[in-house]
């Protein structure tokens, strides 16, 4: 029976019949790392969830996969059926109670179809968690088989609560000395995230203070909203049972830069102007060829958000204001309304994210995953709940909360963080529509529409009808916003920060939007439009011509050299699609796709079947180059836990994972060998090789498994050249026994060589594989391999760039592995030059000073 003992102990009765598991073994870091709270897990044997404690049903999720019971002692016991079951949107779940009901121990809460959950969810493991774990001194779970409604599943010892204590959870208040923030750009996203993860490890309430402003140290949005700059003075205050330890560790972490390399602060430390967070731009004399100039009333200027040219008619897009009542009913009802609306919005975001992942659009999917994170931000929710508790309605309180946060971000000096204000408003509007039932009406779009708005949300942009919208311009936003990222992925020309008078352009006005130059031209003549349309037709005609010759080999115009043009793929369907575009094989099979979206690792036979199916999709004798599993701390698998790392791109990833977990690499090697005799010529390559020892250790595992299976077919083995050390030591690697080829991953090679993150909003434009340094590394590796009769391919993004193709051919590259749509144009680019011309271009390219100079050598013919 679930009653509080005289020693402040509460027993939780088993809510399910099944096998008890420690919460730490749940294959989900949110539960395993106790981010939700202390608890336990049960592997259920039947589909009836019972009340583990008496109390009130405080929350029942709209998808009916989770329920919270609030006991008389104030414990909030969350029961969560399965993992990722919110995505099932209620399928298979039948609630037996509603919010506000009182339940006794053993009362039935939810009936669920165990088979449906098992086939649709990530796992059937069901978690029981104390959401307000600050009330818990200890939780001791049972082990083995438990029976629902009768066996004790866990014993909870409540934390002592002292009257008059500063914190509800007990403990004193401790304040740090004044700390000067050493980070050159202040507490931006990365150090803030590090601080939040550290703070969440303590039970105490922890706050950062700067003068009269404060922020919740466990909320990244709250910290970023504080906008602490370099050398600014802050203090840390902690209230709770572990306050002293929290202050000591957090203070030291801030002084050390929260994982960033920070230069020494100036003597005295308070001259914040001596080290500005962001240097002011230097005024320069405009260059004659710097692009469009102001002064022409018909020309409106902004910044390039997405390149391309759009010709069409203006449609002004304005969002209708949602009307809300200021005061609400009972605050409990208003809270429940808000929780239900947030849950429905989360379901929508989850569905949108899943659709984008299925469409192989991970960049957009990540944006909406970030939106879901915003919905769970504790400070945002606290702000809304506080207003509700003061009598405000849920819609009124929520709108005030998200607008306050968005305004706070928009006023920051950091361009990237300020750009995220739009994301907060997007998420906020989504919940507000759920709360009120008032939906923004979608305008009717005609073909050739150019949208103009103050701002578009990521949701607006992701759902644009590309067949009708040929471009858009916004008065707000910038090139690094999520809207700009989505526009680029959709290949929609876009201009951000356009002059405000763009909002006064009448609907139906003909304009030309140049996303590359960041301009919008009004009052264009019919002749000008005709020239632009003619240019677009030329481009389309050229693509059609290239498509008609897609099945012909890629041989230079003089017949001096043939280059194999193959495809980068992520599955069997891709392999089939590549054949329709003229691919001569596959230069990169990303084997991660076999491992993703699963609760446990694929078996050896399952892998072998997939590799064989990919091989059968190709013509006999065509190459199929399989890259072994390439995951790491930045993209872990639930069944292959990899500790989070400060910089996962310099940590355990690629072949390093395989060498640390050799059983995984050995199983994959055997699976590849089993698929070696089905038609295509299998090759295998190891990612992230950095040293000779890396190569020898990986090759040793391959050889040992080959000998065990006694495979007679020869499967060439090679190296992914992604790390500069391989390029610099190309002669040594080329001389290694058994190393038969290099495949250059130019995306990572460029990032590692230039020490720039290609996803960085300000540095990304500089991460160009046509940098002469990268081309020189590729040329040197080609020479080294050719001396030993071996070959080199390119499987990075530059292989799909027609401007780079003749230079790569001239450097000696033997194979170009492209994105599937680019194959016809890459083949055409090879045929457009003689070998001598290619070699001359390559010789000039490696002596250039900038990527722009390299690209000028190969002008685009439009």
């Amino acid at each position: 029976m679930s009653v509080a003992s005289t020693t402040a102990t509460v027993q939780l009765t088993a809510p399910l019949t099944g096998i008890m598991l420690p919460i730490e073994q749940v294959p989900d870091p949110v539960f395993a790392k106790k981010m939700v709270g202390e608890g336990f897990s049960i592997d259920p044997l039947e589909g009836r969830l019972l009340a583990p404690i008496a109390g009130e049903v405080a929350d029942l999720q709209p998808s009916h996969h989770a329920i919270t019971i609030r006991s008389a002692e104030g414990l909030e016991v969350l029961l969560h059926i399965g993992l990722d079951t919110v995505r099932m949107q209620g399928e298979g779940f039948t609630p037996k109670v509603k919010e506000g009901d009182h339940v006794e121990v053993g009362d039935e809460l939810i009936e669920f179809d165990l088979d449906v959950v098992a086939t649709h969810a990530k796992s059937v493991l069901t978690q029981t968690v104390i959401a307000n774990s600050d009330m818990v001194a200890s939780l001791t779970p049972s082990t083995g088989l438990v029976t629902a409604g009768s066996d004790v599943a866990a014993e909870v010892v409540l934390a002592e609560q002292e009257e008059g204590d500063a914190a509800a959870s007990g403990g004193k208040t401790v304040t740090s000395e004044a700390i000067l923030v050493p980070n050159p750009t202040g507490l931006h996203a990365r150090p803030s995230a590090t601080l939040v993860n550290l703070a969440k490890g303590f039970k105490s309430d922890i706050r950062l203070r700067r003068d009269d402003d404060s922020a919740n140290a466990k909320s990244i949005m709250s910290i970023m909203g504080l906008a602490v700059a370099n050398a600014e003075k802050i203090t840390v205050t902690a209230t709770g049972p572990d306050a002293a330890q929290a202050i000591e560790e957090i203070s030291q972490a801030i002084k050390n830069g929260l994982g960033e390399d920070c230069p020494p602060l100036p003597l005295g430390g308070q001259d914040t102007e001596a080290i500005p967070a962001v240097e002011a731009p230097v005024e320069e004399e405009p260059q004659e060829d710097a692009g469009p100039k102001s002064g022409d009333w018909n020309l409106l200027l902004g910044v390039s958000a997405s390149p391309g040219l759009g010709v069409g008619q203006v449609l002004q897009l304005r969002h209708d204001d949602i009307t809300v009542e200021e005061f609400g009913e009972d605050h409990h009802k208003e809270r429940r309304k808000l929780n239900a609306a947030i849950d429905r919005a989360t379901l929508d975001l989850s569905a949108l994210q899943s659709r984008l992942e299925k469409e192989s659009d991970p960049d957009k999917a990540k944006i909406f995953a970030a939106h879901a994170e915003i919905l769970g931000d504790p400070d945002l929710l606290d702000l809304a709940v506080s207003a509700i508790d003061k009598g405000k309605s849920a819609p009124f309180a929520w709108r005030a909360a998200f607008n306050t946060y968005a305004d706070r971000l928009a006023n920051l000096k950091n361009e990237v963080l300020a750009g995220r204000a739009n994301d907060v408003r997007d998420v906020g509007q989504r919940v507000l529509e759920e709360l009120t039932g008032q939906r923004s009406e979608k305008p009717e779009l005609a073909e050739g529409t150019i949208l103009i708005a103050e701002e578009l949300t990521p949701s607006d942009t992701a759902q644009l009808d590309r067949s009708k919208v040929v471009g858009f311009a916004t008065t707000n936003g910038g090139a690094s916003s999520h809207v700009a990222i989505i526009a680029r992925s959709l290949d929609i020309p876009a201009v951000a920060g356009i002059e405000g008078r763009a909002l006064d352009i009448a609907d139906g006005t003909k304009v030309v939007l140049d996303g590359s130059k960041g301009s919008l031209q009004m009052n264009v003549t019919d002749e000008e439009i005709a020239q632009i349309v003619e240019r677009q037709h030329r481009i389309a005609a050229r693509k059609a011509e290239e498509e008609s010759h897609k099945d012909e080999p890629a041989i230079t115009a003089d017949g001096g050299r043939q280059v194999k043009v193959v495809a980068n793929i992520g599955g069997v369907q891709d392999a089939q699609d590549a054949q329709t575009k003229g691919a001569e094989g596959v230069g990169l099979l990303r084997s991660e796709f076999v491992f993703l979206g699963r609760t446990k690792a694929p078996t050896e036979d399952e892998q072998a079947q997939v590799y064989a199916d990919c091989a059968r999709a190709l013509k006999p004798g065509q190459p199929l180059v399989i890259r072994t599993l390439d995951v790491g701390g930045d993209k872990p698998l639930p069944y292959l836990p990899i500790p989070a790392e400060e910089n996962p791109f310099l940590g355990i990833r690629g072949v390093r994972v395989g060498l640390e977990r050799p059983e995984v690499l050995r199983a994959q090697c055997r699976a590849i060998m089993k698929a070696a005799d089905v038609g295509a010529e299998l090759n295998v390559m190891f990612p992230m090789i950095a040293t000779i020892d890396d190569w020898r250790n990986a090759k040793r595992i391959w050889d040992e498994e080959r000998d065990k299976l006694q495979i007679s077919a020869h499967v060439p083995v090679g190296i992914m050249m992604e790390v500069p050390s391989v390029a610099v030591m190309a002669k040594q690697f080329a001389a290694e026994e058994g190393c038969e080829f290099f495949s250059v991953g130019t995306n990572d090679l460029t990032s590692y060589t230039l020490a720039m993150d290609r996803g960085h909003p300000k540095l990304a434009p500089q991460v160009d594989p046509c940098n002469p340094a990268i081309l020189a590394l590729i040329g040197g590796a080609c020479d080294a391999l050719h001396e030993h009769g071996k070959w080199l391919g390119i499987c990075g993004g530059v292989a799909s760039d027609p401007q780079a193709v003749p230079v790569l051919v001239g450097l000696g590259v033997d194979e170009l592995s492209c994105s599937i749509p680019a194959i016809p144009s890459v083949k055409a680019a090879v045929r457009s030059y003689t070998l001598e011309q290619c070699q001359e271009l390559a010789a000039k390219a490696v002596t250039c000073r900038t990527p722009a100079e390299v690209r000028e050598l190969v002008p685009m013919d439009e």
Side-chain angles (χ1 to χ4, degrees):
M1 184 175 174
S2 300
V3 297
S5 72
T6 56
T7 55
T9 299
V10 174
Q11 290 181 342
L12 297 181
T13 301
L16 291 163
T17 296
I19 307 299
M20 293 284 295
L21 287 174
I23 195 76
E24 293 85 356
Q25 292 184 13
V26 175
D28 185 320
V30 172
F31 288 107
K33 294 182 180 180
K34 302 182 181 179
M35 296 179 187
V36 182
E38 289 282 354
F40 55 87
S41 183
I42 296 178
D43 192 352
L45 300 178
E46 62 179 19
R48 293 172 64 249
L49 184 73
L50 308 185
I53 195 168
E56 178 189 2
V57 178
D59 179 67
L60 174 63
Q61 295 291 295
S63 49
H64 303 149
H65 71 292
I67 188 170
T68 301
I69 309 297
R70 184 182 294 113
S71 74
E73 299 83 9
L75 287 179
E76 295 181 351
V77 183
L78 167 68
L79 299 109
H80 192 286
I81 302 170
L83 297 176
D84 281 357
T85 39
V86 68
R87 298 174 184 266
M88 296 173 63
Q89 302 185 32
E91 181 184 357
F93 299 95
T94 305
K96 300 297 183 179
V97 294
K98 62 182 183 300
E99 289 181 2
D101 284 354
H102 180 82
V103 295
E104 296 293 337
V105 174
D107 284 354
E108 189 172 12
L109 302 176
I110 300 172
E111 182 180 343
F112 60 97
D113 189 321
L114 193 56
D115 291 335
V116 172
V117 176
T119 55
H120 288 77
K122 178 179 175 182
S123 170
V124 296
L125 291 178
T126 296
Q127 287 58 250
T128 301
V129 176
I130 309 297
N132 52 345
S133 289
D134 56 319
M135 291 187 63
V136 177
S138 66
L139 184 148
T140 306
S142 302
T143 58
L145 176 67
V146 291
T147 302
S150 58
D151 292 341
V152 174
E155 188 172 88
V156 180
V157 177
L158 302 181
E160 293 183 11
Q161 305 293 314
E162 298 180 12
E163 279 189 38
D165 227 351
S169 59
K172 59 183 179 179
T173 298
V174 181
T175 302
S176 73
E177 62 182 0
I179 305 169
L180 295 175
V181 173
N183 304 73
T185 53
L187 295 184
H188 62 93
R190 181 175 293 174
S192 294
T194 302
L195 177 55
V196 166
N197 286 329
L198 180 59
K200 284 182 176 178
F202 298 98
K203 294 181 179 179
S204 298
D205 177 67
I206 305 169
R207 304 195 73 80
L208 301 186
R209 300 188 184 277
R210 182 194 56 197
D211 299 327
D212 295 330
D213 298 324
S214 68
N216 180 357
K218 298 180 182 180
S219 164
I220 188 169
M221 286 178 62
S222 184
I223 296 173
M224 291 193 298
L226 199 60
V228 178
N230 169 262
E232 283 196 324
K233 185 187 297 182
I234 63 171
T235 57
V236 186
T237 300
T239 304
D242 50 8
Q245 183 184 359
I247 291 299
E248 180 182 354
E249 294 189 20
I250 291 175
S251 297
Q252 191 59 51
I254 295 173
K255 292 176 184 177
N256 291 341
L258 294 166
E260 288 194 324
D261 291 329
C262 303
L265 290 167
L267 190 63
Q270 298 182 29
D271 181 10
T272 57
E273 292 183 2
I275 308 179
V278 180
E279 293 185 10
V282 178
E283 294 288 339
E284 294 183 355
E285 289 296 322
Q287 301 298 312
E288 286 302 315
D289 59 349
K293 310 292 190 301
S294 59
D296 179 356
W297 188 89
N298 290 317
L299 185 66
L300 286 73
L301 302 181
V303 297
S304 172
S306 177
L309 202 63
V311 181
Q313 299 80 39
V314 164
L315 176 64
Q316 295 284 349
L317 187 63
R318 296 179 174 88
H319 289 287
D320 297 329
D321 287 335
I322 292 178
T323 57
V324 300
E325 295 291 335
E326 181 174 355
F327 298 102
E329 304 179 56
D330 174 75
H331 69 98
H332 291 296
K333 290 183 179 179
E334 296 297 323
R335 280 198 189 189
R336 285 197 289 271
K337 287 180 186 177
L338 179 59
N339 289 338
I342 289 174
D343 196 67
R344 289 193 298 272
T346 303
L347 282 172
D348 288 343
L349 288 170
S350 177
L352 183 55
Q353 182 185 349
S354 297
R355 176 171 65 80
L356 294 171
E357 287 172 344
K358 288 177 182 177
E359 293 173 358
S360 299
D361 207 335
D363 289 338
K364 281 194 287 183
K366 288 177 184 177
I367 290 172
F368 292 103
H371 282 199
E373 285 292 326
I374 292 173
L375 280 181
D377 189 274
D379 261 26
L380 180 59
L381 298 177
D382 284 349
L383 200 59
V385 168
S386 176
I388 289 173
D389 289 343
K390 293 174 183 175
K392 304 298 184 183
S393 71
F396 184 91
W398 175 254
R399 186 174 66 182
F402 78 74
N403 278 331
T404 296
Y405 260 94
D407 291 344
R408 197 180 294 173
L409 287 173
N411 290 327
L412 298 180
K413 294 179 180 178
N414 184 305
E415 177 188 350
V416 178
L417 298 183
R420 298 301 174 255
N422 196 16
D423 293 273
V424 176
R425 289 196 178 95
D426 188 6
V427 173
Q429 189 75 9
R430 185 183 289 272
V431 175
L432 193 59
E433 290 181 358
E434 292 288 347
L435 276 168
T436 63
Q438 301 176 45
R439 309 285 177 175
S440 299
E441 290 189 12
K442 305 297 182 185
E444 287 292 328
L445 300 177
E447 290 186 11
T449 293
I450 290 181
L451 294 175
I452 297 181
E454 287 189 10
E455 62 184 8
L456 292 176
T457 67
S459 298
D460 291 331
T461 315
Q463 299 177 66
L464 288 178
D465 185 345
R466 185 65 182 91
S467 67
K468 295 181 178 179
V469 178
V470 295
F472 68 82
T474 60
T475 56
N476 297 334
S480 61
S481 70
H482 281 159
V483 168
I485 293 169
I486 294 173
R488 290 192 287 270
S489 74
L490 292 172
D491 196 24
I492 295 179
V495 176
I498 197 77
E499 296 173 48
R501 58 193 177 94
L503 299 174
D504 298 325
I505 301 174
D507 285 349
T509 302
K510 285 186 178 181
V511 295
V512 175
L513 183 137
D514 193 329
S516 303
K517 296 180 179 178
S519 67
L520 184 144
Q521 180 77 43
M522 296 186 298
N523 295 324
V524 287
T525 66
D526 290 340
E527 183 181 356
E528 290 172 322
I529 290 178
Q531 291 174 350
I532 293 169
V533 171
E534 183 184 350
R535 175 185 165 198
Q536 292 176 322
H537 287 163
R538 286 201 310 271
I539 294 172
R542 188 185 70 224
K543 288 184 176 180
E545 175 70 11
E546 293 168 351
E547 188 82 15
S548 69
H549 296 281
K550 60 183 173 57
D551 294 318
E552 298 174 11
I555 303 174
T556 56
D558 59 350
R561 186 176 183 81
Q562 180 171 348
V563 176
K564 189 166 290 185
V565 180
V566 292
N568 294 336
I569 68 168
V572 179
Q573 185 61 53
D574 282 354
Q576 295 168 348
D577 292 345
Q579 292 291 293
T580 69
K581 289 292 184 179
E584 299 170 311
V586 168
L588 170 63
L589 169 61
R590 302 180 182 93
S591 67
E592 300 80 60
F593 86 96
V594 187
F595 293 78
L596 297 174
R598 307 173 60 103
T599 58
K600 59 182 181 180
T603 65
E604 186 178 314
D605 288 340
E606 286 174 331
Q607 290 187 60
Q609 182 64 49
V610 174
Y611 303 145
D613 288 344
C614 289
R616 292 189 185 99
L618 306 183
K619 295 175 183 176
Q622 287 188 338
L624 171 61
V625 182
I626 302 175
R627 179 179 69 189
T628 60
L629 183 62
D630 188 11
V631 295
D634 58 322
K635 44 181 178 179
L637 299 170
Y639 49 84
L640 186 62
I642 300 169
E645 297 179 289
E646 176 98 14
N647 191 336
F649 293 96
L650 298 180
I652 306 301
R653 65 180 298 223
V655 76
R656 298 167 188 170
V657 175
L659 296 177
E660 282 218 343
R661 299 288 296 272
E663 71 280 3
V664 175
L665 181 56
R666 288 180 182 277
Q668 188 171 25
C669 289
R670 293 193 298 270
I672 293 171
M673 293 176 199
K674 288 180 179 179
D677 287 319
V678 294
E681 293 183 359
L682 260 62
N683 296 250
V684 66
M685 60 184 178
F686 300 113
M688 277 295 290
I689 294 289
T691 67
I692 293 289
D693 284 341
D694 285 344
W695 157 252
R696 290 176 177 172
N697 290 332
K699 183 61 163 56
R700 175 179 50 78
I701 288 174
W702 172 268
D703 289 343
E704 289 172 356
E705 297 307 316
R706 181 198 59 206
D707 293 343
K708 288 177 186 176
L709 291 180
Q710 297 182 339
I711 297 295
S712 58
H714 175 62
V715 179
V717 183
I719 289 173
M720 281 282 285
M721 189 176 100
E722 304 167 277
V723 181
S725 58
V726 173
V728 173
M729 293 177 58
K731 290 184 178 180
Q732 293 94 315
F733 278 99
E736 281 290 299
E737 183 179 356
C739 177
E740 299 184 50
F741 66 91
F742 282 9
S743 185
V744 184
T746 51
N747 300 342
D748 276 340
L749 180 64
T750 306
S751 287
Y752 286 131
T753 302
L754 301 180
M756 292 180 184
D757 180 357
R758 63 179 182 270
H760 193 286
K762 291 187 176 180
L763 299 178
Q766 300 179 57
V767 187
D768 188 337
C770 280
N771 188 296
I774 309 303
L775 299 176
L777 291 176
I778 293 172
C782 284
D783 293 342
L785 285 165
H786 292 165
E787 285 180 14
H788 292 269
K790 300 174 181 180
W791 62 273
L792 180 141
I794 304 283
C795 64
V798 75
S800 303
D801 185 345
Q803 272 189 296
V805 167
V807 175
L808 297 174
V809 173
L811 290 171
V813 170
D814 303 286
E815 177 186 275
L816 294 170
S817 191
C818 319
S819 63
I820 295 171
I823 292 171
S825 63
V826 169
K827 282 187 165 184
V830 175
R831 300 188 199 106
S832 299
Y833 296 85
T834 66
L835 177 58
E836 183 179 357
Q837 287 173 323
C838 291
Q839 291 170 338
E840 288 177 356
L841 286 171
K844 292 178 181 177
V846 295
T847 63
C848 287
R849 294 174 174 81
T850 66
E853 289 182 11
V854 173
R855 293 188 178 279
E856 286 174 3
L857 297 173
V858 189
M860 290 298 291
D861 179 19
E862 293 187 352

